Amino acid sequence: MPVSQLKAGAALNYVILGLNALTGLLYTPYMLRMLGQNEFGIYTLAASVIAYLSLLDFGLGNAVVRYTAKMRANDDKDGQYSLFGTFTIVYSIIGAIALIAGLFLWANTDNMFGATMTANELAQTRTIILLMVLNVAVSFPLSIYGSIITAYENFIFLRVVSIIRIIVSTGVLVLILYCGYKAIGLVVVQTIFNLAGLLINAVYCHNRLRIKVRFNNFDWPLIREISVYSFWIFLGVIMDRIYWSTGQFVLGVTAGPTTVAIYGIAITIMGIYMSYSTAIAGVLLPRITSMVTHNANDREISDLFIRTGRIQFIIMSLILSGFIVFGAPFIRVWAGTDYADAFPIAVIFLTALLIPLIQNVGITILQARNQMRFRSLLYVGISIVTLGAQIILAPRFGGMGCAWAVGAALLLGQGLIMNIYYQRVQHIDIIKFWREIASMMIIPILMTAAGLYVMHLLPTLNISQILIAMAMYIAVYIPLFWMFSMKASERDLIRAPFAKLLRKFCR
């Protein structure tokens, strides 16, 4: 793969993240006000319920990427085409199972949420769940094509399609809300755009990549190997769903749509935060798989882990610091005072996530090495404890109780135990990693403390004043971080694209 695809893929990921941030800044408050808190809570709750159907992927999406990349490294085209046929059959079966499971959830909506919802709210929830079920069921058989494009490392195509989809779909959603349609209208539009994107991927694979899908010559030993690989990833996905969807479900049962809406805003902020880290790791699985296939040594893998972690810390520390300083007034202005309680919940999420997000390339390394077993078992155990803690804490403490449970689990599992595992079993130099990260922490800590002190002295700010204050904060933060926290190689990495662009304009 040309290096340009990898670099452009990562760069376009950040374009997508910028667009998502911009649309979130402008569209989300519009949506909240057009829907109202109760209907937004219903929409969020239904989405969290349907999120459990994503568990039926069983980690196969990662398996498609890993084994396709491995076969490409060995120039085994026939193996790839048979593999695609196998996955197409499996995904079709999964789609049918998702449909049956989803219809069961739809039929039991009243039993799950009848104690905290009115008859009208239950009717809306049932309709939204049914639409989402149909979307998920149809998506499974087509989802293989996005994984194939990723395995072929054609990142530019995937990202450009995503950019177009974000721009067009957001415009349509604004129009739908303006015309008076509520949550059901949003789900219909999102379903249409999701299926359109999947079909575009399918056409690209067949017409541009010239891939073939063969339903013969199944390699049963390989299928068994893939099943084991996918199973451990599947357990990790269960953990993610328990972390980020169960809280909303528990709150829906114990507190109702309003509390779910507040918690949902914190989850939305968390999702945006996470996406800025995964933008880098998301394009590395094919490359790391190739390195493992060609027997890269532990030193090379460890150096990649540290380099990537430092780059991710550059981004994540700025976002976390800025949110701690400006998050509370921003949420009050952006989402409304009714959602102010989302701030402390989001702070818990973002702080606890910092460690796993600057180390998420470790997951990619484990996937490439087919060594996900320990991580998956650990996370399943911790997620079960998290669920129990949420059930205990939610009735008394609401969303904060769920946030405490999740935050503690993240720090214990991903912050402590996985670091020990990386050091002792995967031979990644975690001690060196944390020495380097510690050297980068001084500026974020000092800037956060100074920012909180200044914000405490200021009166209540409006949105334009908040944005000006944020711009001033960034104008001070970045030069200090550049001088005192970054290596020369990292400064060069940032300078290089701008220098190249400048040379083009100067010709």
Side-chain angles (χ1 to χ4, degrees):
M1 177 205 68
V3 176
S4 60
Q5 279 280 344
L6 186 63
K7 290 183 176 179
L12 287 173
N13 264 345
Y14 281 101
V15 173
I16 292 171
L17 294 174
L19 280 174
N20 281 330
L22 183 62
T23 55
L25 181 66
L26 301 176
Y27 167 71
T28 301
Y30 174 77
M31 176 189 67
L32 293 175
R33 287 159 177 77
M34 296 298 286
L35 289 181
Q37 194 170 38
N38 262 25
E39 184 135 352
F40 176 70
I42 292 169
Y43 172 76
T44 302
L45 180 60
S48 71
V49 172
I50 295 303
Y52 289 104
L53 294 180
S54 68
L55 296 175
L56 294 173
D57 177 80
F58 296 110
L60 293 175
N62 278 295
V64 174
V65 176
R66 181 186 186 273
Y67 285 93
T68 302
K70 187 175 181 179
M71 289 178 177
R72 288 190 72 216
N74 294 326
D75 198 25
D76 182 6
K77 287 190 176 182
D78 289 336
Q80 290 179 55
Y81 299 156
S82 295
L83 185 73
F84 300 155
T86 301
F87 277 115
T88 298
I89 293 172
V90 172
Y91 269 126
S92 298
I93 295 171
I94 290 174
I97 295 172
L99 179 61
I100 295 169
L103 291 176
F104 176 80
L105 292 173
W106 167 75
N108 285 276
T109 301
D110 292 9
N111 295 331
M112 291 187 292
F113 307 116
T116 58
M117 290 187 182
T118 65
N120 182 56
E121 289 170 345
L122 286 170
Q124 287 180 293
T125 304
R126 282 194 299 271
T127 303
I128 293 171
I129 286 177
L130 181 60
L131 289 169
M132 289 182 173
V133 165
L134 295 175
N135 183 10
V136 170
V138 176
S139 295
F140 270 118
L142 296 172
S143 62
I144 184 176
Y145 295 105
S147 299
I148 292 171
I149 296 171
T150 298
Y152 273 68
E153 301 181 277
N154 283 38
F155 300 116
I156 294 176
F157 171 80
L158 282 175
R159 304 313 183 252
V160 169
V161 170
S162 294
I163 289 170
I164 295 171
R165 177 179 168 181
I166 291 168
I167 295 171
V168 177
S169 65
T170 302
V172 175
L173 289 172
V174 168
L175 181 61
I176 287 292
L177 289 170
Y178 179 79
C179 292
Y181 295 96
K182 299 289 186 178
I184 294 174
L186 296 185
V187 175
V188 170
V189 171
Q190 290 164 346
T191 298
I192 292 171
F193 276 95
N194 177 57
L195 295 179
L198 292 170
L199 288 172
I200 289 171
N201 287 345
V203 171
Y204 182 85
C205 281
H206 288 289
N207 293 349
R208 183 64 183 268
L209 300 182
R210 304 294 181 185
I211 68 104
K212 299 175 183 178
V213 179
R214 293 178 180 166
F215 300 100
N216 58 3
N217 299 323
F218 294 157
D219 186 341
W220 293 109
L222 177 62
I223 292 172
R224 284 193 294 271
E225 179 185 337
I226 291 171
S227 299
V228 174
Y229 170 85
S230 299
F231 174 74
W232 298 118
I233 293 179
F234 166 64
L235 290 184
V237 173
I238 291 177
M239 177 277 301
D240 283 334
R241 289 280 65 82
I242 292 177
Y243 274 173
W244 306 120
S245 295
T246 304
Q248 296 172 79
F249 182 83
V250 171
L251 292 172
V253 173
T254 61
T258 299
T259 304
V260 173
I262 293 170
Y263 194 83
I265 287 294
I267 291 290
T268 298
I269 293 168
M270 176 278 302
I272 295 171
Y273 179 68
M274 288 182 68
S275 66
Y276 278 86
S277 174
T278 56
I280 296 175
V283 300
L284 289 178
L285 179 56
R287 175 59 58 88
I288 294 174
T289 299
S290 180
M291 290 174 65
V292 171
T293 301
H294 292 99
N295 300 314
N297 60 44
D298 290 336
R299 176 69 178 275
E300 293 174 307
I301 299 294
S302 184
D303 287 345
L304 176 65
F305 183 96
I306 294 170
R307 288 198 310 272
T308 306
R310 285 183 59 93
I311 293 171
Q312 289 172 320
F313 184 80
I314 293 170
I315 299 161
M316 306 315 295
S317 61
L318 172 58
I319 297 172
L320 176 59
S321 173
F323 184 78
I324 292 173
V325 174
F326 299 104
F330 179 78
I331 288 175
R332 284 197 297 270
V333 174
W334 173 65
T337 55
D338 290 341
Y339 295 93
D341 289 342
F343 172 70
I345 297 173
V347 168
I348 293 172
F349 288 159
L350 270 57
T351 303
L353 276 167
L354 180 63
I355 295 175
L357 290 186
I358 64 175
Q359 294 184 341
N360 59 14
V361 73
I363 302 172
T364 309
I365 292 170
L366 295 179
Q367 290 172 354
R369 287 176 167 174
N370 197 6
Q371 295 177 5
M372 289 288 290
R373 183 175 184 270
F374 175 82
R375 178 185 183 274
S376 298
L377 288 175
L378 168 68
Y379 283 9
V380 167
I382 292 178
S383 65
I384 291 171
V385 175
T386 303
L387 174 58
Q390 288 178 324
I391 293 172
I392 294 170
L393 296 173
R396 183 174 179 183
F397 300 104
M400 284 297 294
C402 292
W404 290 333
V406 171
L410 287 169
L411 291 174
L412 175 63
Q414 304 195 43
L416 177 61
I417 298 176
M418 280 306 299
N419 272 255
I420 295 172
Y421 176 77
Y422 284 143
Q423 176 76 37
R424 294 186 177 180
V425 179
Q426 295 298 321
H427 307 296
I428 295 170
D429 194 345
I430 291 297
I431 295 174
K432 180 181 178 182
F433 173 87
W434 281 114
R435 280 203 305 265
E436 300 216 3
I437 294 298
S439 70
M440 303 174 75
M441 285 183 175
I442 298 174
I443 296 303
I445 291 172
L446 292 177
M447 284 295 299
T448 302
L452 286 172
Y453 177 75
V454 172
M455 289 297 291
H456 177 71
L457 299 177
L458 296 176
T460 302
L461 304 179
N462 59 36
I463 186 63
S464 59
Q465 291 169 332
I466 292 173
L467 293 176
I468 291 171
M470 290 170 65
M472 294 173 64
Y473 184 82
I474 293 171
V476 175
Y477 182 105
I478 290 179
L480 290 176
F481 197 94
W482 179 276
M483 289 185 292
F484 298 109
S485 297
M486 293 175 64
K487 292 182 176 180
S489 60
E490 292 161 350
R491 291 192 285 268
D492 290 340
L493 184 66
I494 295 173
R495 268 194 300 248
F498 293 100
K500 185 177 181 180
L501 188 63
L502 182 62
R503 286 195 297 270
K504 286 184 178 180
F505 278 108
C506 292
R507 286 177 182 174

